[in-house]
Amino acid sequence: MNLKELKFKGTQVAYAVICLRKLWLFSRGVSFEHTSDRVLLGKVIDENTFKEEEGITDESVSIAFLKAGDEVIVHEVKLTSSLEEAHILQVKYYIYYLKQKGIKTRKGILHYPRAKRIKEVHLTEEDEKLIENTLEKIEKVLSSATPPRVEKKPYRKSCAYYMFCYG
């Protein structure tokens, strides 16, 4: 995949799993995260759990922190594991992104500090195909002039966009 095509944020990759409507709205600057107590708590945990570590942020990715040795290990901090499938894909996207930039990496670690749990994430060739398909899906969703329909999800009441979509 061409590096210039890696224009999506990790959040957008996660939203492609969580909710396509949220992905579309977020990508157009419609954001309710600033009104969500859960999002605020997640930011506080992220900023205070590994505050001595250095993260990486560029136009596409914002990784909580990286550990370097023989190869870079991506670390991401999340509030809960309730959306773990999306979290895993987001970490895999970060690994994929760094690999495309020529950085030696193939592993990430998801941190769930409140649960005192971590999960190792590895990137496989199959995962790379999944990421490429997800990026194509994101492109398709974002090319639409209107947002996708509201989907009833089990976690919708804790979503920052709940009142916008269901209110």
Side-chain angles (χ1 to χ4, degrees), residues 25-71:
L25 292 165
F26 173 84
S27 298
R28 284 182 168 62
V30 179
S31 177
F32 296 98
E33 276 86 355
H34 65 282
T35 66
S36 169
D37 291 340
R38 289 181 59 80
V39 173
L40 177 61
L41 180 57
K43 284 184 181 190
V44 168
I45 287 172
D46 183 32
E47 291 168 0
N48 291 296
T49 303
F50 298 99
K51 57 185 167 191
E52 71 282 351
E53 302 296 343
E54 187 102 10
I56 181 175
T57 301
D58 71 10
E59 65 277 355
S60 295
V61 300
S62 180
I63 300 170
F65 68 97
L66 302 168
K67 286 286 191 182
D70 290 342
E71 70 178 12

Short mmCIF file of all heavy atoms in Angstrom, two decimals, residues 25-71:
data_model
loop_
_atom_site.label_atom_id
_atom_site.label_comp_id
_atom_site.label_asym_id
_atom_site.label_seq_id
_atom_site.Cartn_x
_atom_site.Cartn_y
_atom_site.Cartn_z
N LEU A 25 -19.40 10.77 10.90
CA LEU A 25 -19.57 12.04 11.62
C LEU A 25 -18.23 12.57 12.14
O LEU A 25 -17.90 13.74 11.94
CB LEU A 25 -20.56 11.85 12.78
CG LEU A 25 -22.01 11.59 12.36
CD1 LEU A 25 -22.82 11.06 13.55
CD2 LEU A 25 -22.65 12.84 11.77
N PHE A 26 -17.48 11.71 12.81
CA PHE A 26 -16.17 12.10 13.36
C PHE A 26 -15.25 12.63 12.26
O PHE A 26 -14.57 13.64 12.44
CB PHE A 26 -15.54 10.89 14.06
CG PHE A 26 -14.13 11.11 14.51
CD1 PHE A 26 -13.86 11.74 15.73
CD2 PHE A 26 -13.05 10.69 13.74
CE1 PHE A 26 -12.55 11.94 16.15
CE2 PHE A 26 -11.75 10.90 14.15
CZ PHE A 26 -11.49 11.52 15.36
N SER A 27 -15.26 11.96 11.13
CA SER A 27 -14.38 12.33 10.02
C SER A 27 -14.75 13.66 9.40
O SER A 27 -13.95 14.28 8.72
CB SER A 27 -14.39 11.23 8.96
OG SER A 27 -13.90 10.02 9.52
N ARG A 28 -15.97 14.12 9.64
CA ARG A 28 -16.42 15.41 9.13
C ARG A 28 -16.41 16.49 10.22
O ARG A 28 -16.98 17.55 10.06
CB ARG A 28 -17.81 15.28 8.54
CG ARG A 28 -17.72 14.60 7.18
CD ARG A 28 -19.05 14.46 6.52
NE ARG A 28 -18.93 14.08 5.13
CZ ARG A 28 -18.41 12.96 4.67
NH1 ARG A 28 -17.90 12.09 5.48
NH2 ARG A 28 -18.37 12.71 3.37
N GLY A 29 -15.75 16.18 11.32
CA GLY A 29 -15.60 17.18 12.38
C GLY A 29 -16.76 17.29 13.34
O GLY A 29 -16.80 18.19 14.17
N VAL A 30 -17.73 16.38 13.23
CA VAL A 30 -18.85 16.36 14.17
C VAL A 30 -18.41 15.48 15.33
O VAL A 30 -18.32 14.26 15.21
CB VAL A 30 -20.14 15.81 13.53
CG1 VAL A 30 -21.27 15.77 14.54
CG2 VAL A 30 -20.52 16.62 12.30
N SER A 31 -18.11 16.12 16.44
CA SER A 31 -17.55 15.39 17.57
C SER A 31 -18.29 15.72 18.86
O SER A 31 -18.56 16.88 19.15
CB SER A 31 -16.07 15.73 17.73
OG SER A 31 -15.54 15.09 18.86
N PHE A 32 -18.60 14.68 19.59
CA PHE A 32 -19.24 14.85 20.89
C PHE A 32 -18.37 14.31 22.01
O PHE A 32 -18.79 14.24 23.15
CB PHE A 32 -20.62 14.16 20.90
CG PHE A 32 -21.57 14.79 19.93
CD1 PHE A 32 -21.77 14.24 18.67
CD2 PHE A 32 -22.25 15.95 20.27
CE1 PHE A 32 -22.63 14.84 17.77
CE2 PHE A 32 -23.11 16.55 19.36
CZ PHE A 32 -23.31 15.99 18.11
N GLU A 33 -17.14 13.89 21.67
CA GLU A 33 -16.25 13.33 22.67
C GLU A 33 -16.01 14.30 23.82
O GLU A 33 -15.87 13.89 24.96
CB GLU A 33 -14.90 12.92 22.03
CG GLU A 33 -14.93 11.55 21.40
CD GLU A 33 -15.44 11.54 19.97
OE1 GLU A 33 -15.88 12.60 19.46
OE2 GLU A 33 -15.42 10.47 19.35
N HIS A 34 -15.97 15.61 23.54
CA HIS A 34 -15.72 16.60 24.57
C HIS A 34 -16.85 16.68 25.60
O HIS A 34 -16.68 17.25 26.67
CB HIS A 34 -15.48 17.98 23.94
CG HIS A 34 -16.67 18.53 23.22
ND1 HIS A 34 -17.04 18.10 21.97
CD2 HIS A 34 -17.59 19.45 23.60
CE1 HIS A 34 -18.14 18.74 21.60
NE2 HIS A 34 -18.48 19.57 22.57
N THR A 35 -18.01 16.09 25.29
CA THR A 35 -19.14 16.12 26.23
C THR A 35 -19.29 14.80 27.00
O THR A 35 -20.16 14.68 27.84
CB THR A 35 -20.47 16.38 25.48
OG1 THR A 35 -20.75 15.26 24.62
CG2 THR A 35 -20.40 17.66 24.67
N SER A 36 -18.43 13.85 26.73
CA SER A 36 -18.55 12.51 27.31
C SER A 36 -17.65 12.32 28.52
O SER A 36 -16.43 12.49 28.44
CB SER A 36 -18.21 11.45 26.25
OG SER A 36 -18.08 10.18 26.83
N ASP A 37 -18.25 11.96 29.64
CA ASP A 37 -17.47 11.67 30.85
C ASP A 37 -16.56 10.46 30.64
O ASP A 37 -15.44 10.42 31.15
CB ASP A 37 -18.39 11.41 32.05
CG ASP A 37 -19.12 12.67 32.49
OD1 ASP A 37 -18.67 13.78 32.15
OD2 ASP A 37 -20.17 12.54 33.18
N ARG A 38 -17.03 9.47 29.89
CA ARG A 38 -16.21 8.27 29.62
C ARG A 38 -14.97 8.63 28.81
O ARG A 38 -13.88 8.14 29.07
CB ARG A 38 -17.02 7.20 28.89
CG ARG A 38 -18.09 6.54 29.75
CD ARG A 38 -18.85 5.49 28.96
NE ARG A 38 -17.99 4.44 28.43
CZ ARG A 38 -17.53 3.40 29.10
NH1 ARG A 38 -17.83 3.27 30.37
NH2 ARG A 38 -16.78 2.49 28.52
N VAL A 39 -15.13 9.49 27.82
CA VAL A 39 -13.99 9.91 27.00
C VAL A 39 -13.01 10.70 27.86
O VAL A 39 -11.80 10.48 27.80
CB VAL A 39 -14.46 10.72 25.77
CG1 VAL A 39 -13.27 11.31 25.03
CG2 VAL A 39 -15.28 9.84 24.83
N LEU A 40 -13.54 11.58 28.71
CA LEU A 40 -12.67 12.37 29.59
C LEU A 40 -11.90 11.46 30.54
O LEU A 40 -10.68 11.61 30.71
CB LEU A 40 -13.50 13.38 30.39
CG LEU A 40 -12.72 14.21 31.41
CD1 LEU A 40 -11.64 15.05 30.73
CD2 LEU A 40 -13.66 15.09 32.21
N LEU A 41 -12.59 10.49 31.13
CA LEU A 41 -11.92 9.54 32.03
C LEU A 41 -10.85 8.76 31.28
O LEU A 41 -9.74 8.56 31.79
CB LEU A 41 -12.94 8.58 32.66
CG LEU A 41 -12.40 7.54 33.63
CD1 LEU A 41 -11.65 8.20 34.79
CD2 LEU A 41 -13.54 6.67 34.15
N GLY A 42 -11.14 8.33 30.07
CA GLY A 42 -10.15 7.62 29.26
C GLY A 42 -8.92 8.46 28.99
O GLY A 42 -7.79 7.98 29.08
N LYS A 43 -9.12 9.75 28.72
CA LYS A 43 -7.98 10.65 28.48
C LYS A 43 -7.15 10.83 29.73
O LYS A 43 -5.92 10.86 29.68
CB LYS A 43 -8.48 12.00 27.97
CG LYS A 43 -8.90 11.97 26.54
CD LYS A 43 -9.30 13.34 26.03
CE LYS A 43 -9.72 13.20 24.58
NZ LYS A 43 -9.90 14.46 23.92
N VAL A 44 -7.81 10.97 30.87
CA VAL A 44 -7.09 11.13 32.14
C VAL A 44 -6.25 9.88 32.42
O VAL A 44 -5.07 9.98 32.78
CB VAL A 44 -8.07 11.42 33.30
CG1 VAL A 44 -7.38 11.30 34.65
CG2 VAL A 44 -8.68 12.81 33.13
N ILE A 45 -6.84 8.71 32.24
CA ILE A 45 -6.11 7.46 32.47
C ILE A 45 -4.94 7.36 31.50
O ILE A 45 -3.82 7.02 31.89
CB ILE A 45 -7.05 6.24 32.36
CG1 ILE A 45 -7.96 6.21 33.59
CG2 ILE A 45 -6.27 4.95 32.22
CD1 ILE A 45 -9.05 5.18 33.54
N ASP A 46 -5.18 7.66 30.23
CA ASP A 46 -4.13 7.60 29.22
C ASP A 46 -2.98 8.55 29.56
O ASP A 46 -1.81 8.17 29.52
CB ASP A 46 -4.72 7.95 27.85
CG ASP A 46 -3.71 7.85 26.72
OD1 ASP A 46 -2.80 7.00 26.80
OD2 ASP A 46 -3.83 8.61 25.75
N GLU A 47 -3.30 9.77 29.94
CA GLU A 47 -2.27 10.78 30.21
C GLU A 47 -1.51 10.53 31.51
O GLU A 47 -0.37 10.95 31.64
CB GLU A 47 -2.91 12.17 30.27
CG GLU A 47 -3.38 12.64 28.90
CD GLU A 47 -4.26 13.88 28.97
OE1 GLU A 47 -4.51 14.40 30.08
OE2 GLU A 47 -4.71 14.32 27.89
N ASN A 48 -2.13 9.84 32.47
CA ASN A 48 -1.49 9.66 33.77
C ASN A 48 -0.91 8.28 34.03
O ASN A 48 -0.13 8.11 34.95
CB ASN A 48 -2.48 10.02 34.88
CG ASN A 48 -2.76 11.50 34.90
OD1 ASN A 48 -1.87 12.30 35.16
ND2 ASN A 48 -3.99 11.87 34.59
N THR A 49 -1.28 7.30 33.23
CA THR A 49 -0.80 5.95 33.47
C THR A 49 0.66 5.79 33.09
O THR A 49 1.45 5.22 33.82
CB THR A 49 -1.66 4.93 32.70
OG1 THR A 49 -3.02 5.10 33.10
CG2 THR A 49 -1.23 3.52 33.01
N PHE A 50 1.05 6.31 31.96
CA PHE A 50 2.42 6.16 31.48
C PHE A 50 2.98 7.54 31.13
O PHE A 50 3.57 7.74 30.07
CB PHE A 50 2.47 5.24 30.26
CG PHE A 50 2.01 3.85 30.54
CD1 PHE A 50 0.73 3.44 30.23
CD2 PHE A 50 2.87 2.94 31.14
CE1 PHE A 50 0.31 2.15 30.50
CE2 PHE A 50 2.45 1.65 31.42
CZ PHE A 50 1.17 1.26 31.10
N LYS A 51 2.81 8.49 32.03
CA LYS A 51 3.19 9.87 31.72
C LYS A 51 4.68 10.07 31.48
O LYS A 51 5.08 11.03 30.85
CB LYS A 51 2.65 10.84 32.76
CG LYS A 51 3.07 10.58 34.17
CD LYS A 51 2.36 11.55 35.09
CE LYS A 51 2.52 11.09 36.52
NZ LYS A 51 1.69 11.80 37.43
N GLU A 52 5.51 9.14 31.97
CA GLU A 52 6.95 9.27 31.73
C GLU A 52 7.37 8.76 30.36
O GLU A 52 8.49 8.96 29.92
CB GLU A 52 7.75 8.53 32.83
CG GLU A 52 7.69 7.01 32.75
CD GLU A 52 6.41 6.37 33.28
OE1 GLU A 52 5.57 7.07 33.87
OE2 GLU A 52 6.23 5.15 33.08
N GLU A 53 6.44 8.12 29.65
CA GLU A 53 6.74 7.57 28.33
C GLU A 53 6.47 8.58 27.24
O GLU A 53 5.60 9.44 27.38
CB GLU A 53 5.91 6.30 28.08
CG GLU A 53 6.12 5.20 29.12
CD GLU A 53 7.52 4.64 29.14
OE1 GLU A 53 8.27 4.83 28.16
OE2 GLU A 53 7.87 4.00 30.13
N GLU A 54 7.17 8.46 26.15
CA GLU A 54 7.03 9.37 25.02
C GLU A 54 6.16 8.72 23.95
O GLU A 54 6.39 7.60 23.53
CB GLU A 54 8.42 9.65 24.44
CG GLU A 54 8.43 10.69 23.38
CD GLU A 54 8.92 12.03 23.89
OE1 GLU A 54 9.42 12.09 25.02
OE2 GLU A 54 8.80 12.99 23.15
N GLY A 55 5.14 9.45 23.52
CA GLY A 55 4.27 8.97 22.46
C GLY A 55 4.72 9.49 21.12
O GLY A 55 5.74 10.15 21.00
N ILE A 56 3.95 9.17 20.10
CA ILE A 56 4.24 9.66 18.75
C ILE A 56 2.93 10.17 18.17
O ILE A 56 1.90 9.52 18.28
CB ILE A 56 4.87 8.57 17.85
CG1 ILE A 56 5.18 9.12 16.47
CG2 ILE A 56 3.98 7.36 17.75
CD1 ILE A 56 5.92 8.17 15.56
N THR A 57 2.99 11.33 17.59
CA THR A 57 1.82 11.90 16.94
C THR A 57 2.27 12.53 15.63
O THR A 57 3.24 13.27 15.59
CB THR A 57 1.16 12.99 17.82
OG1 THR A 57 0.79 12.40 19.07
CG2 THR A 57 -0.07 13.56 17.17
N ASP A 58 1.57 12.19 14.56
CA ASP A 58 1.76 12.88 13.30
C ASP A 58 0.39 13.11 12.69
O ASP A 58 -0.62 12.98 13.39
CB ASP A 58 2.74 12.14 12.37
CG ASP A 58 2.22 10.84 11.79
OD1 ASP A 58 1.02 10.56 11.91
OD2 ASP A 58 3.02 10.11 11.19
N GLU A 59 0.31 13.40 11.43
CA GLU A 59 -0.99 13.74 10.83
C GLU A 59 -1.96 12.57 10.83
O GLU A 59 -3.16 12.76 10.74
CB GLU A 59 -0.81 14.29 9.41
CG GLU A 59 -0.25 13.31 8.39
CD GLU A 59 1.28 13.18 8.42
OE1 GLU A 59 1.96 13.90 9.15
OE2 GLU A 59 1.77 12.30 7.70
N SER A 60 -1.47 11.35 10.99
CA SER A 60 -2.36 10.19 10.91
C SER A 60 -2.48 9.40 12.22
O SER A 60 -3.54 8.85 12.48
CB SER A 60 -1.88 9.22 9.83
OG SER A 60 -1.98 9.82 8.57
N VAL A 61 -1.43 9.32 12.97
CA VAL A 61 -1.50 8.46 14.16
C VAL A 61 -1.10 9.22 15.42
O VAL A 61 -0.33 10.17 15.38
CB VAL A 61 -0.61 7.20 14.03
CG1 VAL A 61 -1.05 6.34 12.85
CG2 VAL A 61 0.85 7.54 13.94
N SER A 62 -1.69 8.76 16.50
CA SER A 62 -1.32 9.27 17.83
C SER A 62 -1.22 8.04 18.73
O SER A 62 -2.22 7.53 19.21
CB SER A 62 -2.39 10.23 18.33
OG SER A 62 -2.04 10.71 19.61
N ILE A 63 0.00 7.57 18.92
CA ILE A 63 0.25 6.34 19.67
C ILE A 63 0.64 6.73 21.08
O ILE A 63 1.49 7.60 21.28
CB ILE A 63 1.37 5.52 18.98
CG1 ILE A 63 0.95 5.16 17.55
CG2 ILE A 63 1.68 4.26 19.79
CD1 ILE A 63 2.06 4.55 16.71
N ALA A 64 0.02 6.07 22.06
CA ALA A 64 0.26 6.41 23.47
C ALA A 64 1.76 6.45 23.78
O ALA A 64 2.27 7.43 24.28
CB ALA A 64 -0.46 5.44 24.39
N PHE A 65 2.44 5.35 23.50
CA PHE A 65 3.89 5.37 23.63
C PHE A 65 4.50 4.19 22.90
O PHE A 65 3.83 3.23 22.55
CB PHE A 65 4.35 5.44 25.09
CG PHE A 65 4.08 4.23 25.95
CD1 PHE A 65 5.05 3.27 26.16
CD2 PHE A 65 2.86 4.08 26.60
CE1 PHE A 65 4.82 2.18 26.98
CE2 PHE A 65 2.62 3.00 27.42
CZ PHE A 65 3.59 2.05 27.61
N LEU A 66 5.80 4.31 22.66
CA LEU A 66 6.56 3.28 21.96
C LEU A 66 7.72 2.86 22.84
O LEU A 66 8.28 3.68 23.56
CB LEU A 66 7.13 3.83 20.64
CG LEU A 66 6.13 4.38 19.64
CD1 LEU A 66 6.86 5.14 18.55
CD2 LEU A 66 5.32 3.26 19.04
N LYS A 67 8.09 1.60 22.78
CA LYS A 67 9.30 1.10 23.45
C LYS A 67 10.22 0.60 22.36
O LYS A 67 9.82 -0.17 21.51
CB LYS A 67 8.98 -0.05 24.41
CG LYS A 67 8.29 0.36 25.68
CD LYS A 67 9.27 1.03 26.59
CE LYS A 67 8.65 1.21 27.97
NZ LYS A 67 9.50 1.88 28.89
N ALA A 68 11.43 1.06 22.41
CA ALA A 68 12.39 0.65 21.38
C ALA A 68 13.45 -0.26 21.98
O ALA A 68 13.84 -0.10 23.12
CB ALA A 68 13.05 1.88 20.77
N GLY A 69 13.84 -1.20 21.24
CA GLY A 69 14.91 -2.13 21.55
C GLY A 69 15.39 -2.59 20.20
O GLY A 69 15.68 -1.79 19.32
N ASP A 70 15.42 -3.92 20.00
CA ASP A 70 15.72 -4.44 18.67
C ASP A 70 14.64 -4.04 17.67
O ASP A 70 14.88 -3.90 16.49
CB ASP A 70 15.85 -5.96 18.70
CG ASP A 70 17.11 -6.40 19.43
OD1 ASP A 70 18.02 -5.56 19.60
OD2 ASP A 70 17.17 -7.57 19.82
N GLU A 71 13.42 -3.91 18.19
CA GLU A 71 12.31 -3.44 17.36
C GLU A 71 11.35 -2.64 18.23
O GLU A 71 11.33 -2.78 19.44
CB GLU A 71 11.60 -4.58 16.66
CG GLU A 71 10.80 -5.49 17.54
CD GLU A 71 10.09 -6.59 16.75
OE1 GLU A 71 10.38 -6.78 15.56
OE2 GLU A 71 9.24 -7.24 17.33
#
